[in-house]
Amino acid sequence: MKPQPTVANMHLSISFLLTALLAFTNVVKAETGIAEVMSALYIDNRDLQCDRIHIGKDFIYLSPSEEITNTTAWSQVVEGPDLTSKYNVRSGDRIRVTYKNTTNSTTGSRRLLLTPDEDLVSIDVLQTAVPHEIFTGTQIRVRSMIYIIKTCGWEASANVTQIQNMYFQAANSISGYHTNCTYGKVTFNSSDSIVFGPVEVPCNGTVSNGILTYNFDASINCGSAEQFAWRTYAENAARAAGHGAFMDAAPRRRIVHILPREVKCPWAGLGSVGCGGSTCTVYIKGAYALSLTVNMHELGHTQGLSHAGRGYDEYGDYSDVMGTASSEGYLCMNVGNQFRVGWNTMLANLNTVTTNNPGNTGLVGRWVIPATNLTENNALFLNYSTPTVRFPNMFVSFRTRGPLYDNVMPTNLMDQVFVHQFNGTASERDYNRTLLVATLVTNGVYTSPFVDRYPDTTSGGGVKIRVVSITPGVSATVQLCHFTQLNETTCNDGIDNDCDGIIDNCVPPASVSPVVYSSPQLSSLSPTPTPPPPSPPLRSPPKSPPSPPPSPAPRPPPKSPPSPPPSPAPRPPPKSPPIPKLKSPLPRPSPRRPPPSPRPPKASPPPRPSVRKPPPKSTATSRPPPS
């Protein structure tokens, strides 16, 4: 039975209501601090039963700065996919966060934002960080502190010797990863790093940033407060051990935490996106403490790289450690990601006009692309975007295994041409992701999307990329053709505008043979035979007179001289040979001459039966299968 209200419980209800109203009003509150943008690698949640679609998650934390005096800084502001692009923010930026006031008047502390998007109003960048992760001519030396953490009675997942071996000494190491995949532009050496631990961190308690104090409980949580506690206790222990001078020396860049296996973190790794300010942070869950690829994936984020995707899978590019590395070893970044951080150079930067110019072979649109493990000058950049046309720019490269570089490239991707879409730039504040759209073997063809800008042929259109040949382990030869029309409508300009393999091919599709892919831009500079004019439409044999029906003329013996051949006399329908049929019936034209007489013909050669001549043999054999 529902109890009747009393004065006492009515008073409590009113107090509770007032508190709730104060806590969840729409009063706007703003806080200022330093952005910590973290990107998570979700391996635990991967399941082949769900079509490999694994959308990752980013987090933005508001961390304290020296001038903060009244704030709830070091808290999670928002979580979700692709936050760096959504809010135009990188780690180290000074930001102002505005959200609806969710402050409880009795405790003075903000509740944990379980659904932060409902409370967040805006994130404004007040001052951008100045990271230095793009190679501009001076080798980048990474300085790091690597902490091994134990907590809650959970033992450390690795010891100092194991971490030192994986990072600096093994045949495949983090140090080697940087040297090989960056072509020596970035180094990560033991002389610039300290491995320290294990550090005992309380399972729960409070941690202070010097201004505010936070509660944490690692036995049940893996949020911003727990991460702050792991970092703070580790830093304090390292300073107490005498490493303060090393930690304060510039540049102090990477702070890596190797966590126990049992921590309640849903991800395999979590790393700062970009490395602005003086530091950036990485957390590795214990099950992956000795995973070379998980560690390198998160360190790749600190260099500003995003995930490498394919289709709807954010990690779907199996040729890039920023996607999915299926084996432990060196799997370097794709050429779009390399371009983003300044590690490679382009064979050519092509636009819609220059794509059909001679390539490095001297032939129209033809290029020899070396394997990425052999040289940093290793890709074609098809830069088709303009201020008015947002086109998917593309990078074309050739990947294979090397003794070190890409030594765990999946077998089904070896010695293939890769086409990546990437509308990014070599900029610290670029948030674009690479997207693998095609892997091609010999004679493979990729046709890009088409943007209709008719009659403007200097923008839009699309491109066809065909692999002419592959020399395993060395190079691939590709042919490019920029098309401006889906079906040829400009019939007298001497250009294969639709890249179908035939110049000025404006014949209606029903009147010509199926188009094959042998464009002059896609074969060579040698003259392409002009296709013969189309034959007249097929005519059905004339009907025989209704009465009297002529007797069938006997066939000549097989070995009789072919000239003069007898005219094919009309035969009764049951025994007549099959008449060639068109896929689409054409109107029957009036005969040019009267029907042939059933009498034997004169000595002059009669017209051939009304069957179209096959195309010239040279044209047919020079055409590869259609794309």
Side-chain angles (χ1 to χ4, degrees):
M1 183 176 71
K2 184 176 179 180
Q4 295 297 317
T6 64
V7 174
N9 62 33
M10 286 178 65
H11 176 74
L12 291 175
S13 298
I14 293 172
S15 299
F16 175 79
L17 179 60
L18 289 174
T19 301
L21 287 174
L22 286 171
F24 298 104
T25 59
N26 288 327
V27 176
V28 173
K29 179 181 178 182
E31 295 180 347
T32 301
I34 305 301
E36 191 77 31
V37 184
M38 309 293 287
S39 182
L41 172 63
Y42 285 87
I43 287 184
D44 290 346
N45 294 345
R46 291 185 182 178
D47 184 354
L48 296 179
Q49 302 300 317
C50 62
D51 297 328
R52 298 181 182 177
I53 298 176
H54 312 287
I55 303 301
K57 186 181 291 186
D58 297 338
F59 305 86
I60 296 180
Y61 301 150
L62 186 65
S63 62
S65 62
E66 293 179 358
E67 66 271 22
I68 293 177
T69 58
N70 183 20
T71 183
T72 57
W74 197 271
S75 58
Q76 179 183 309
V77 175
V78 64
E79 66 180 55
D82 203 20
L83 296 183
T84 53
S85 176
K86 183 176 180 180
Y87 293 104
N88 191 31
V89 62
R90 286 277 182 172
S91 294
D93 289 348
R94 189 170 182 268
I95 60 174
R96 179 176 60 241
V97 179
T98 306
Y99 48 84
K100 294 178 183 178
N101 189 354
T102 56
T103 301
N104 185 303
S105 61
T106 60
T107 63
S109 62
R110 184 157 67 96
R111 69 182 178 90
L112 177 64
L113 297 180
L114 298 177
T115 55
D117 271 330
E118 296 178 1
D119 299 301
L120 179 66
V121 175
S122 65
I123 297 177
D124 301 304
V125 177
L126 303 179
Q127 183 178 358
T128 58
V130 185
H132 302 283
E133 303 303 321
I134 294 180
F135 178 79
T136 58
T138 302
Q139 187 182 63
I140 299 171
R141 294 178 60 182
V142 175
R143 198 176 185 91
S144 70
M145 290 293 299
I146 305 169
Y147 299 118
I148 301 171
I149 305 295
K150 57 186 297 186
T151 187
C152 296
W154 304 323
E155 291 301 318
S157 56
N159 58 44
V160 170
T161 300
Q162 290 173 314
I163 296 299
Q164 285 178 332
N165 184 60
M166 181 188 67
Y167 266 74
F168 308 113
Q169 298 167 4
N172 291 333
S173 66
I174 291 295
S175 177
Y177 229 125
H178 284 77
T179 300
N180 285 282
C181 292
T182 72
Y183 307 99
K185 295 178 173 63
V186 181
T187 64
F188 197 121
N189 297 325
S190 59
S191 59
D192 293 320
S193 303
I194 291 177
V195 180
F196 183 76
V199 178
E200 181 79 45
V201 179
C203 187
N204 51 58
T206 60
V207 61
S208 175
N209 62 13
I211 301 170
L212 298 173
T213 300
Y214 309 92
N215 296 319
F216 69 92
D217 188 348
S219 67
I220 57 175
N221 295 322
C222 180
S224 58
E226 288 70 37
Q227 294 161 27
F228 184 48
W230 295 328
R231 173 172 171 171
T232 301
Y233 275 88
E235 296 270 273
N236 291 341
R239 288 188 181 277
H243 297 299
F246 176 87
M247 296 163 65
D248 293 335
R252 179 189 170 206
R253 310 301 291 172
R254 314 288 190 261
I255 303 176
V256 182
H257 305 79
I258 307 298
L259 304 175
R261 292 174 176 270
E262 297 86 352
V263 292
K264 307 305 179 181
C265 307
W267 32 256
L270 184 69
S272 299
V273 180
C275 201
S278 60
T279 62
C280 49
T281 309
V282 168
Y283 298 94
I284 304 294
K285 192 173 181 178
Y288 307 96
L290 298 178
S291 168
L292 184 72
T293 53
V294 169
N295 279 265
M296 188 60 198
H297 178 104
E298 296 306 330
L299 289 167
H301 282 311
T302 67
Q303 296 174 74
L305 295 176
S306 297
H307 290 143
R310 185 170 193 175
Y312 292 104
D313 188 347
E314 187 174 333
Y315 307 114
D317 187 351
Y318 281 62
S319 72
D320 190 325
V321 72
M322 301 310 296
T324 294
S326 55
S327 300
E328 287 296 314
Y330 297 149
L331 184 65
C332 295
M333 289 69 172
N334 64 55
V335 293
N337 273 332
Q338 290 182 356
F339 174 78
R340 162 66 179 76
V341 287
W343 296 346
N344 66 352
T345 56
M346 299 295 105
L347 294 167
N349 187 333
L350 304 173
N351 57 34
T352 55
V353 175
T354 59
T355 296
N356 292 341
N357 289 351
N360 61 3
T361 61
L363 303 180
V364 172
R366 181 168 291 192
W367 294 84
V368 174
I369 304 176
T372 54
N373 67 329
L374 299 179
T375 175
E376 64 189 63
N377 187 229
N378 57 22
L380 296 173
F381 180 25
L382 307 184
N383 185 2
Y384 284 7
S385 285
T386 69
T388 57
V389 179
R390 189 63 173 168
F391 197 92
N393 294 333
M394 283 162 283
F395 288 78
V396 186
S397 62
F398 176 62
R399 302 282 294 273
T400 186
R401 283 183 188 167
L404 292 176
Y405 189 108
D406 278 348
N407 62 10
V408 293
M409 173 67 69
T411 302
N412 65 334
L413 296 178
M414 279 181 57
D415 292 316
Q416 294 189 31
V417 171
F418 288 73
V419 182
H420 284 88
Q421 290 180 357
F422 180 54
N423 278 62
T425 59
S427 166
E428 299 280 7
R429 303 198 68 80
D430 188 278
Y431 314 110
N432 289 278
R433 289 195 177 114
T434 60
L435 184 68
L436 178 61
V437 295
T439 57
L440 306 174
V441 297
T442 301
N443 292 324
V445 176
Y446 169 73
T447 303
S448 77
F450 177 77
V451 177
D452 191 356
R453 299 283 293 175
Y454 182 83
D456 178 10
T457 61
T458 63
S459 64
V463 66
K464 283 191 177 181
I465 303 168
R466 179 170 67 90
V467 179
V468 177
S469 63
I470 287 175
T471 303
V474 179
S475 64
T477 301
V478 300
Q479 198 82 48
L480 309 180
C481 180
H482 174 250
F483 57 89
T484 57
Q485 300 171 0
L486 283 176
N487 296 299
E488 192 105 22
T489 58
T490 307
C491 307
N492 56 1
D493 61 355
I495 299 174
D496 181 12
N497 294 293
D498 57 1
C499 291
D500 70 347
I502 304 175
I503 294 176
D504 295 338
N505 177 28
C506 295
V507 181
S511 303
V512 297
S513 301
V515 175
V516 295
Y517 196 77
S518 180
S519 167
Q521 288 96 340
L522 298 178
S523 55
S524 68
L525 281 178
S526 59
T528 300
T530 303
S535 302
L538 297 181
R539 294 186 297 165
S540 301
K543 293 183 179 179
S544 57
S547 177
S551 301
R555 291 178 178 269
K559 296 184 179 180
S560 61
S563 178
S567 174
R571 294 175 182 166
K575 296 183 180 181
S576 62
I579 299 173
K581 294 182 180 180
L582 293 173
K583 292 182 179 179
S584 302
L586 297 173
R588 183 179 298 164
S590 301
R592 295 180 180 177
R593 59 187 69 185
S597 170
R599 293 176 297 174
K602 294 181 180 181
S604 60
R608 288 177 175 267
S610 55
V611 177
R612 193 195 322 178
K613 290 183 179 181
K617 188 173 182 181
S618 61
T619 303
T621 56
S622 66
R623 299 174 179 176
S627 58

